[in-house]
């Protein structure tokens, strides 16, 4: 292997106090990849979609509503005897990975929506949600690093310790984040339209990583959209 001066520069920045700040993007990538794969159990598809999913959850009420219903449907399925499931959401619905029974998912989604409308907020929280575990890890790591910097105790070892600590604490913080992010009432305006089994193949980083996921995609619509279509007809 040829010597690359870049590695020497990175080693210098990492070992000496203050240089670690320039490596914070690397730490965040490490949290996303290592934490997402080993702790959160995220797949390639989940990791590649995570940044966009986080953005949509923050700024798109329809995606938040669909993710809320996705979590609720996963909880209903689990209480009906299915293993712990997770999923992702979009503006048109959501996808639950690891299940092939369309009827079970459809019925669980309809039941979950009715229970959410009746005020059963505990259905919104899925303890195993990879998305919220990764978010919790990133926020915790940044918080701890800021505290270390304020205390003038930040160095390479302490930053790595902060990342490892956030790894272990994230599962306990994730439910609180879900309660905050998915606590709105937008989900009550949804209607479940259908459920379809799909096989998704996703590649990332120019084909270096790929995954095949089997699951059920649920399509939803908002009541006001349906009513507008009826009026136009």
């Amino acid at each position: 292997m040829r010597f690359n001066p870049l590695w020497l520069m990175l080693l210098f920045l990492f070992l000496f106090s203050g240089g670690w700040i320039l490596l914070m993007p690397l730490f965040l990538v490490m949290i996303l990849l290592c934490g997402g794969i080993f702790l959160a159990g995220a797949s390639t598809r989940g990791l590649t979609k995570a940044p966009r999913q986080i953005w949509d959850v923050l700024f798109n009420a329809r995606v938040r509503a669909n993710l809320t219903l996705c979590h609720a449907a996963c909880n209903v399925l689990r209480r009906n005897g299915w293993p712990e499931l997770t999923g992702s959401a979009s503006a048109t619905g959501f996808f639950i990975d690891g299940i092939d029974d369309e009827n079970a998912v459809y019925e669980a989604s309809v039941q979950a929506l009715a229970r959410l409308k009746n005020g059963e907020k505990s259905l919104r929280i899925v303890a195993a949600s990879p998305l919220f575990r990764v978010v919790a890890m990133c926020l915790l790591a940044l918080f701890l690093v800021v505290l270390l910097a304020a205390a003038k105790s930040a160095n390479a070892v302490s930053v790595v310790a902060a990342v490892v600590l956030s790894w272990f604490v994230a599962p306990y913080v994730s439910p609180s984040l879900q309660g905050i992010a998915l606590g709105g009432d937008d989900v009550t305006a949804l209607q479940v339209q259908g459920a379809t089994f799909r096989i998704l193949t996703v590649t990332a980083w120019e084909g270096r990583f790929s995954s095949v996921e089997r699951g059920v995609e649920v399509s939803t619509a908002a009541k006001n959209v349906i009513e507008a279509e009826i009026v136009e007809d």
Side-chain angles (χ1 to χ4, degrees), residues 57-232:
V57 168
L58 288 174
F59 300 105
N60 191 318
R62 182 69 179 277
V63 174
R64 279 198 305 273
N66 280 323
L67 187 59
T68 301
L69 183 54
C70 176
H71 280 196
C74 288
N75 279 321
V76 171
L77 287 167
R78 181 176 58 82
R79 295 173 187 179
N80 289 341
W82 290 88
E84 199 164 37
L85 301 167
T86 60
S88 59
S90 65
T92 58
F94 56 88
F95 178 85
I96 298 180
D97 184 32
I99 187 171
D100 57 4
D101 193 329
E102 299 174 351
N103 293 328
V105 172
Y106 178 81
E107 292 173 2
S109 301
V110 173
Q111 181 183 348
L113 182 59
R115 291 167 66 173
L116 286 171
K117 290 180 178 180
N118 288 332
E120 197 170 339
K121 293 188 175 182
S122 62
L123 289 177
R124 303 168 185 253
I125 297 173
V126 173
S129 170
L131 176 69
F132 282 95
R133 285 195 177 186
V134 170
V135 171
M137 290 172 64
C138 291
L139 293 177
L140 284 168
L142 287 175
F143 175 72
L144 292 173
V145 168
V146 169
L147 287 181
L148 289 171
K152 298 181 179 180
S153 301
N155 52 51
V157 176
S158 62
V159 171
V160 171
V163 172
V164 173
L165 180 60
S166 69
W167 193 332
F168 287 102
V169 178
Y172 302 98
V173 178
S174 172
S176 298
L177 289 179
Q178 294 179 56
I180 295 171
L182 307 180
D185 295 327
D186 298 317
V187 66
T188 58
L190 292 180
Q191 286 188 348
V192 179
Q193 293 189 309
T196 306
F197 173 73
R198 294 191 182 279
I199 300 177
L200 304 178
T201 302
V202 180
T203 59
W205 294 338
E206 298 180 351
R208 291 185 177 88
F209 295 93
S210 64
S211 67
V212 177
E213 297 187 358
R214 296 171 173 82
V216 175
E217 186 175 67
V218 178
S219 57
T220 64
K223 286 183 180 178
N224 54 357
V225 174
I226 296 176
E227 291 172 356
E229 290 176 351
I230 294 175
V231 171
E232 289 178 359

Side-chain angles (χ1 to χ4, degrees), residues 15-30:
L15 291 178
F16 289 91
S17 179
W20 58 269
I21 295 177
L22 300 179
L23 297 179
M24 278 308 298
L26 180 62
F27 284 122
L28 293 179
V29 171
M30 181 176 66

Side-chain angles (χ1 to χ4, degrees), residues 26-39:
L26 180 62
F27 284 122
L28 293 179
V29 171
M30 181 176 66
I31 293 171
L32 180 62
L33 293 180
C34 297
I37 294 173
F38 296 109
L39 172 64

